[in-house]
Amino acid sequence: MRLFLDSANLSEIEHALELGMVDGLTTNPTLLAREGGDWEGRAREICRMVKGPVSLEVTSLKCGEMLEEARRLVTFGPNVVIKVPMTQDGLKAVPILQSRDIDTNVTLVFSPMQALLAARAGAAYVSPFVGRLDALAQNGMELVREIMTIFQNYNYPTQVIVASVRHPRHVSEAALLGAHAATIPYKIMMQLARHPLTDAGLETFLNDWAKLPPITRQA
Ligand code: G3P
C-alpha cells in the first residue's frame, strides 16, 4: 500500500520525506491557498521534492478550460497527476487527458457510482473522501469497500486513494480493504509510527539499563 502525504507545506513534506513515508503527494486548492504566496512556485518545488505522483487540481469547471489548465500544470514536473472534480465536465476531461498520457485523479468521490463512472472514463486514480462522509454520520470506509469490490469485479485498473483521512484507523482500514493508497495529513502521518505503549516500553528499558554500572553498559 502506498502512503501519500496530503499537504502543500514544504516543511511538512521535507520531514515526511526524511522519514521515508512518502510514496506520493496530493494537494487541493484549499491546501495551496492555506500556504499563501506563490502557489505555482510552491507546486513546482513540491514536484521536484517528491519522486512519486503529485496530484495538482484544476479549478475550472468547463472541460475545455480544465484541459488548458492541465496543459500548464503538467509542465511543473514529469510526476504531475491532474486532479479533476467528479462532475460531468470532469468525466469528459478524463479520457482526453489519459489519451495524452496524462494521469488523472478523480476527486470529491462520495458514492460507488461516481467511482464506477471515473473508472469507466479511464481515470488512473479515484479519491473517495471518507472523513467528510463520516462527519455526516455515513460510513466512509463502507464506500471504499464497495468501490474495491466493484473495481475487482470488472478488473478496472483504476487505483483507489483513500482521502479525507481523519485518524490512523482510517489508514489501517484502508490497508485491510486493499486500497492502493491513502493520502494522509502530516499530523496523522506522524501518528502512524507512534503508540503510547512503545513510548512507555522504551522509557522502562532505558531506565532499567541506566541502573547498570556505567562500565558494564559498554559493549
Ligand atoms: O486532498 C483531498 C482530501 O484528502 C481533503 O480532505 O481533510 O479536506 O476532507 P479534507
Side-chain angles (χ1 to χ4, degrees), residues 19-197:
L19 297 176
M21 296 173 85
V22 181
D23 300 309
L25 183 135
T26 54
T27 64
N28 60 39
T30 301
L31 291 172
L32 281 164
R34 190 179 293 159
E35 298 303 320
D38 168 21
W39 73 268
E40 180 172 331
R42 176 178 298 279
R44 286 181 183 275
E45 179 62 15
I46 291 170
C47 292
R48 267 193 297 276
M49 292 167 78
V50 177
K51 298 293 165 248
V54 174
S55 288
L56 301 177
E57 188 162 340
V58 295
T59 51
S60 304
L61 297 177
K62 292 286 172 209
C63 174
E65 290 163 22
M66 288 179 191
L67 298 177
E68 273 312 304
E69 256 190 90
R71 197 191 301 275
R72 180 146 157 268
L73 291 174
V74 293
T75 66
F76 292 10
N79 47 351
V80 170
V81 172
I82 300 298
K83 222 175 179 187
V84 173
M86 178 58 225
T87 59
Q88 292 181 0
D89 276 76
L91 281 180
K92 273 161 52 181
V94 165
I96 299 170
L97 290 168
Q98 292 289 155
S99 74
R100 296 173 184 171
D101 284 331
I102 298 169
D103 277 344
T104 55
N105 173 2
V106 175
T107 189
L108 291 164
V109 166
F110 292 97
S111 79
M113 285 305 97
Q114 288 181 322
L116 176 63
L117 290 174
R120 287 181 70 266
Y125 305 96
V126 291
S127 293
F129 276 31
V130 297
R132 294 193 195 185
L133 278 174
D134 289 355
L136 293 183
Q138 298 188 35
N139 189 334
M141 294 317 301
E142 180 61 14
L143 169 64
V144 174
R145 193 187 63 73
E146 291 182 1
I147 294 172
M148 292 305 298
T149 301
I150 291 168
F151 285 9
Q152 281 155 13
N153 285 347
Y154 296 98
N155 287 323
Y156 284 121
T158 305
Q159 297 197 20
V160 176
I161 304 174
V162 174
S164 187
V165 162
R166 294 284 181 268
H167 44 71
R169 187 66 200 164
H170 274 152
V171 183
S172 53
E173 287 179 12
L176 285 165
L177 291 170
H180 304 83
T183 189
I184 309 165
Y186 173 79
K187 191 173 155 207
I188 295 164
M189 190 173 265
M190 292 306 114
Q191 287 175 19
L192 294 183
R194 297 200 63 183
H195 194 286
L197 291 178

Side-chain angles (χ1 to χ4, degrees), residues 3-14:
L3 301 182
F4 291 177
L5 184 62
D6 199 26
S7 174
N9 180 286
L10 299 184
S11 309
E12 290 180 359
I13 296 167
E14 194 175 10

